[in-house]
Amino acid sequence: ILSAAGTAWACSATDLPRQFVDAEIKVGVWTDADAIPACLGGLAETPSLVAVLDAHLPAAALTAEDVAERIARVSRYPDIQYWSTTRQRWRQLIPTAHPRAAADGPDLSGDLSADDLVPGRTLYIHQQENTPVGDTVYALDTERRDAAHLALRAVNAAPATRLGITFLAAGDYRLHHRFQRRDDGWRYRGELRMAAVGLPFLGERAESFMTRMVAAYRYMAGRPMTAPPPAALP
């Protein structure tokens, strides 16, 4: 299965029933009300959401070092644009982002370095984002990095609350990114797993999760931010 560390590739394009697509991207989203494909495994949390993005790039389109530099450059995160399906316009995905030395430490100025993205080192990034998480701190771990691979895991390091109600415990919002060089170019597989309490609209907002994942991928891969919005397949 596509493991928690994002290290397997069992899901194929036919396993993504709700698809958004452009020339290189396919996305699928499942909630606890859906039939989760066997390649993803089951969902232990209820209600839950899983989103997977699969993309292919020409070999000349990027390097693992390119991706690492973009992820480290947190001051540029406000440049990331996603297509809002509710407002029908482009919006900032992450209006503000700052590195931290620790999850509960103060915000720091400047950027991280690509050299900081190494296995065994946890980095912390404080983000105010236009997602259900809102204001949160991510713990970012590099699982593998070499000329042909870059695999990262990010989890919310603190609970997320709204109107005094905690709807995400620490670790309940998990993102995995994996770039792998192959003979036919680069392949990217991204996964979001979310266990939320008190957010019954998750299934209805599947398209919103899709477009946000597309935006994050386009930034990391150096693709045009405001390319035509992803279009739902019939």
Side-chain angles (χ1 to χ4, degrees), residues 119-205:
R121 181 172 186 180
T122 300
L123 305 173
Y124 297 95
I125 303 174
H126 177 208
Q127 296 183 184
Q128 178 64 46
E129 55 187 43
N130 285 318
T131 73
V133 182
D135 189 338
T136 193
V137 176
Y138 286 102
L140 176 67
D141 290 289
T142 301
E143 298 173 323
R144 182 175 181 181
R145 181 181 175 186
D146 54 45
H149 302 85
L150 182 60
L152 306 128
R153 178 185 65 240
V155 302
N156 62 312
T161 61
R162 184 174 297 169
L163 299 176
I165 299 173
T166 297
F167 65 91
L168 282 173
D172 274 355
Y173 196 79
R174 305 189 294 278
L175 296 154
H176 303 279
H177 305 285
R178 185 186 183 199
F179 288 85
Q180 180 177 333
R181 177 71 181 268
R182 295 187 170 185
D183 292 340
D184 60 349
W186 285 91
R187 183 174 183 184
Y188 168 80
R189 171 61 60 86
E191 180 187 356
L192 162 66
R193 287 188 180 240
M194 179 178 179
V197 177
L199 293 179
F201 59 81
L202 287 181
E204 300 171 6
R205 296 291 179 88

Side-chain angles (χ1 to χ4, degrees), residues 1-11 16 26-30 36-45 48-55 138 140 143 150-156 171-179 187-195 209-210 212-214 216-217 220:
I1 65 171
L2 182 67
S3 71
T7 55
W9 300 83
C11 291
L16 309 182
K26 292 186 183 296
V27 187
V29 177
W30 301 264
I36 307 300
C39 65
L40 286 175
L43 293 180
E45 307 92 349
S48 302
L49 178 140
V50 172
V52 174
L53 186 152
D54 187 271
Y138 286 102
L140 176 67
E143 298 173 323
L150 182 60
L152 306 128
R153 178 185 65 240
V155 302
N156 62 312
D172 274 355
Y173 196 79
R174 305 189 294 278
L175 296 154
H176 303 279
H177 305 285
R178 185 186 183 199
F179 288 85
R187 183 174 183 184
Y188 168 80
R189 171 61 60 86
E191 180 187 356
L192 162 66
R193 287 188 180 240
M194 179 178 179
F209 286 93
M210 292 179 182
R212 289 180 173 98
M213 290 191 73
V214 169
Y217 159 72
M220 290 185 293

Side-chain angles (χ1 to χ4, degrees), residues 24 76 83 87 106 164 177:
E24 67 192 51
R76 298 296 301 274
W83 180 255
R87 294 171 173 82
H177 305 285

